[in-house]
Amino acid sequence: MPEHWKLVCKVKDIAPGSAHHVPRGLAWQELPGVAVFRTADDRIYALLDSCPHKGAPLSQGMVLGEHVACPQHHWNIALETGCAVAPEQGCTRRYSVKVEDGKIYLDLLELNAPASRAEAALAGTYGVAPLASTYP
């Protein structure tokens, strides 16, 4: 496995139709983590653990097919794109996932990059050089 992939858990650690929370950033940053989802048919997706509506943790939502329902206001978020299903609007960041030998890996460069303009500004305030990023 190339160096830029980080092992976060095993597929068997996530029950079908549920999620696993992966922390991001340094302890003092209190950044939203990443929610790694396993669908009922064993597909794996990763999204920023923050609903685009009000920031509720998507890892606590209910996985329904290829969507997760936000636990706070029940917005449906597409697992493949991170975007809300119409008529709602907004997207949360998606993360690249690799599954090899039953282990789930996330792209370390993506994990370390700011997921929003606010995170990029926070990193600049503390003199932390953020990696290049694209954020919603």
Side-chain angles (χ1 to χ4, degrees):
M1 178 70 49
E3 291 181 24
H4 72 283
W5 291 98
K6 178 181 179 179
L7 174 65
V8 294
C9 63
K10 295 179 181 179
V11 173
K12 69 179 182 177
D13 295 337
I14 307 172
S18 66
H20 174 76
H21 176 82
V22 176
R24 289 180 48 247
L26 304 173
W28 55 266
Q29 289 176 310
E30 297 184 30
L31 301 177
V34 174
V36 179
F37 298 93
R38 178 180 177 191
T39 63
D41 59 355
D42 291 331
R43 284 184 272 178
I44 305 294
Y45 298 97
L47 300 175
L48 185 68
D49 197 11
S50 179
C51 179
H53 178 221
K54 299 255 182 179
L58 294 174
S59 61
Q60 295 176 13
M62 183 181 298
V63 177
L64 306 164
E66 298 297 310
H67 301 91
V68 60
C70 172
Q72 190 172 21
H73 294 106
H74 308 291
W75 277 33
N76 283 315
I77 310 299
L79 294 173
E80 187 171 344
T81 65
C83 293
V85 175
E88 314 304 349
Q89 295 181 342
C91 296
T92 194
R93 183 177 181 161
R94 309 183 293 114
Y95 291 86
S96 301
V97 176
K98 281 196 179 197
V99 179
E100 288 185 358
D101 300 323
K103 298 175 185 170
I104 301 172
Y105 298 85
L106 296 179
D107 186 308
L108 189 55
L109 299 176
E110 291 179 3
L111 285 173
N112 289 335
S116 67
R117 294 185 198 286
E119 282 186 21
L122 176 67
T125 300
Y126 291 100
V128 178
L131 298 172
S133 172
T134 57
Y135 30 77

